[in-house]
Structures are given as structure tokens and as C-alpha cells.
Amino acid sequence: MADGLDEAFNTLEDDSEIWAGVLTGTATVFSAGSDFKAKGDYVTPRGGEYGIIRRERTKPLIAAVEGAALGGGMELALVCDLIVAAQNAQFGLPEVTRGVVPTCGALFRALRALPANVAHELLLTGESISTDRAHSAGFVNRVCEPGRAREEAINVATRIANNAPLSVQACMVAIKQLEAKDDPDGWSATTNAHAVVAESADLREGIAAFFERRAPIWTRT
């Protein structure tokens, strides 16, 4: 999956005839995040995790979200420049409910994209928020009926592509340069947080409980 995403994002960036992109999932789910059976997230040379998380981009990317965008799925949405969401979409960072921490940018990108107290709620409770709440918080740009997120995101991409491409890309470069100033601290803090739980019994218990479909029993070790 990451290789396929990487190839698509390489095409988006390298093809001069493409001026904007749309990232979407299926008609019922955007992304439920990483596979707990995998030991770490798959990384590509140009894109980093999932082929996109650490990618340098000059062209706008719009997320078209249907259904759940959870964990790594929300981190995929966070890396996009605009978000179109169906009314039945939900956004969440449930890592703490499984003894892990977000490792693909959410620890700092959620604080950029959402009011701090809403970001704190997502990160610390593990609960999800609805499209309406995400929209009212300024995270979602446009809301649409279920089944129309991709169509609406393409409309937004088309509107962007009607503008002067050099102007749009110059704006994108400036935006990304400003955002990237804080990225080293964000990644450092993420690495430190992950190190705390990486070898813990609680992490093993959380993942085991997930697959066994039961409530975890935490030991704080």
C-alpha cells in the first residue's frame, strides 16, 4: 500500500501537467491506520511513512474522507492541505487506548490543525470526533453527503488548478517552509514519546487485547 501511495505521490510531484491531487480511501472508510501485526510503519525513500508523511511537496493535496480516519488514517488526513469529509466521517487518534502513541506526525500536526484543547482531547482520550465537530473546529474545509467526498474534493482540486500553477506552488513552498521550522522538534518529541512505550508491557497488552477483542488490563510497566 505504501509503495502504491509513494508511486502516486511521485507522479503528482514529478508530472508538470498535474497541478493538484486528491487522496481518498473506499466508499466506506478512509483509513483505519497501521497494521498492528506489522513491526513499525513502512517507509519509502521520498515519502517516509506511508509514502507521504515526511514528503516534501509543492502541489496541493486534498483529503476526501468517507467513514473512519483513525490513527494513522487521521495522520494521513493531517498531512493533506485541505480536507473534504462526508457527514458520516469520523476522526480519531485512538493510540493511547492500545498502549501506543501516534508516530506519524499527529503529536504536533494535530496541534497545528485543531484548537489545542480539541487536539488534546483526541490525543489523550482516544475518542473520535464527528465531521460536524471537525468542521466547526476548522479542521474540515467542506462537508458533503456520504458518497460524495471524492467528487467534492475533485471539485476543490479543479478550482485550485484553475489558478496560476506557479503562484499556487510558490504559496505551497512558502507554507511548507514555515511549517517545517517546527518539524525537527515535533519529530524529536515523537521519538521520545515512542521510546517511553516501545518496550512496555502495556503496549504488548494493548495490542493483544485489540486482537482478542477485550478490554486491556494495564500494569503501568
Side-chain angles (χ1 to χ4, degrees):
M1 179 67 77
D3 282 333
L5 289 171
D6 187 68
E7 182 180 356
F9 293 129
N10 289 344
T11 300
L12 170 64
E13 193 62 31
D14 298 340
D15 190 333
S16 62
E17 298 300 313
I18 301 175
W19 296 356
V22 171
L23 174 63
T24 192
T26 70
T28 58
V29 62
F30 180 72
S31 172
S34 297
D35 182 357
F36 278 138
K37 292 181 181 178
K39 295 182 179 179
D41 296 312
Y42 186 80
V43 173
T44 67
R46 285 182 64 177
E49 297 90 341
Y50 308 142
I52 183 62
I53 295 297
R54 306 195 195 215
R55 179 177 292 269
E56 294 184 4
R57 294 186 293 108
T58 63
K59 299 177 184 179
L61 181 63
I62 302 148
V65 181
E66 300 273 0
L70 303 177
M74 181 165 178
E75 289 177 305
L76 285 171
L78 282 165
V79 84
C80 294
D81 305 298
L82 295 91
I83 298 176
V84 173
Q87 292 169 335
N88 62 350
Q90 56 177 321
F91 300 87
L93 296 165
E95 283 85 351
V96 293
T97 69
R98 296 304 169 193
V100 297
V101 300
T103 57
C104 293
L107 285 179
F108 56 97
R109 287 177 177 153
L111 292 169
R112 292 176 186 165
L114 290 154
N117 60 327
V118 179
H120 297 166
E121 180 181 347
L122 287 169
L123 288 163
L124 300 179
T125 69
E127 296 177 351
S128 302
I129 60 173
S130 66
T131 293
D132 285 343
R133 189 172 180 204
H135 182 255
S136 65
F139 180 56
V140 168
N141 296 90
R142 298 192 183 185
V143 179
C144 62
E145 296 178 358
R148 295 197 57 199
R150 179 176 177 273
E151 176 185 352
E152 184 61 23
I154 291 174
N155 290 339
V156 175
T158 301
R159 178 66 185 87
I160 292 171
N162 286 334
N163 298 323
L166 291 180
S167 297
V168 170
Q169 290 171 30
C171 289
M172 280 286 298
V173 170
I175 291 168
K176 295 304 179 185
Q177 285 177 343
L178 291 169
E179 290 178 344
K181 288 182 179 180
D182 297 328
D183 280 5
D185 287 341
W187 288 119
S188 177
T190 298
T191 298
N192 292 339
H194 176 65
V196 172
V197 303
E199 302 299 329
S200 69
D202 276 352
L203 183 149
R204 294 191 293 273
E205 166 64 10
I207 294 176
F210 174 80
F211 286 114
E212 294 168 11
R213 299 183 181 277
R214 59 174 175 81
I217 301 173
W218 306 122
T219 59
R220 294 188 295 176
T221 60

